[in-house]
Amino acid sequence: MVFDPVEQEALHTDQADRQFRSASLVKLLIGLDLVERGVVSPKRPSPRMARMLSHSDDEIASELWSSGGGQQIVTHVAAKIGLSNTEPPATPGRWGDTLITANDLVKVYQHVLALPAGKRALLLDPLRDVARTAADGTDQTSASPARCPVSSGRSNKPGPPGAAASTRTPAASSAAGTAT
């Protein structure tokens, strides 16, 4: 899926409702949940959440996943913003196995963009300031020719073949997700 946030229209929707493993993309849901619940706020920012997003830090994601209620993070965010095809992982601790669709991912970014500026910055600034190298040593810019903030949807957890995702942040003027 390719979505134009300026015109608020989908430019390409092939298989936009096909579920794929979110892998590191779920970190945005973890961060959004923290912001929505007021655990993280402009007056109480979280360097750990920022690092989780900017460095795709799996260790921090696991800690925040556990302390935030695990699978409830996904069900809470999905219900709050109307994600119709997003499901928590079948195995509780495997946050990267959360299922999402490109359409739902667009809804996540639309929701983030609609947040008040201070809350929005808590989530988007770390994505805009993405570290070239992730916490696990992976090059985070390899999928992005213009060094736009991109999550390659990678996961250090094994999963079904063909479950891949790529999503550009709103800063890149599009949100795209593919499942092959």
Side-chain angles (χ1 to χ4, degrees):
M1 169 178 240
V2 178
F3 184 83
D4 181 343
V6 174
E7 297 296 325
Q8 290 293 302
E9 68 177 318
L11 303 175
H12 180 73
T13 60
D14 188 37
Q15 298 184 22
D17 285 320
R18 181 176 174 195
Q19 288 182 316
F20 58 88
R21 287 179 53 247
S22 65
S24 287
L25 298 173
V26 75
K27 292 171 184 163
L28 183 56
L29 297 183
I30 295 169
L32 180 57
D33 183 63
L34 290 168
V35 170
E36 292 285 357
R37 290 188 296 119
V39 174
V40 175
S41 70
K43 290 183 179 180
R44 193 175 43 210
S46 169
R48 288 170 24 107
M49 183 187 81
R51 180 171 171 80
M52 174 188 68
L53 294 171
S54 66
H55 287 77
S56 193
D57 193 309
D58 292 345
E59 185 176 319
I60 294 173
S62 292
E63 292 168 8
L64 295 175
W65 175 265
S66 293
S67 66
Q71 294 168 301
Q72 293 175 354
I73 292 169
V74 176
T75 55
H76 171 257
V77 172
K80 174 145 181 88
I81 62 178
L83 306 179
S84 55
N85 293 306
T86 297
E87 300 174 23
T91 305
R94 292 180 52 113
W95 46 262
D97 289 346
T98 295
L99 296 176
I100 196 163
T101 66
N103 272 335
D104 280 356
L105 199 52
V106 167
K107 289 178 187 176
V108 171
Y109 280 114
Q110 287 175 318
H111 182 78
V112 170
L113 287 171
L115 290 172
K119 289 182 175 183
R120 183 174 59 239
L122 292 167
L123 297 164
L124 293 185
D125 286 356
L127 295 178
R128 286 187 184 114
D129 299 332
V130 65
R132 179 169 191 78
T133 305
D136 67 1
T138 303
D139 181 0
Q140 296 195 106
T141 63
S142 63
S144 176
R147 191 154 155 41
C148 294
V150 171
S151 174
S152 61
R154 61 186 171 69
S155 174
N156 62 354
K157 310 222 182 343
S166 177
T167 303
R168 293 180 184 260
T169 67
S173 297
S174 70
T178 59
T180 54

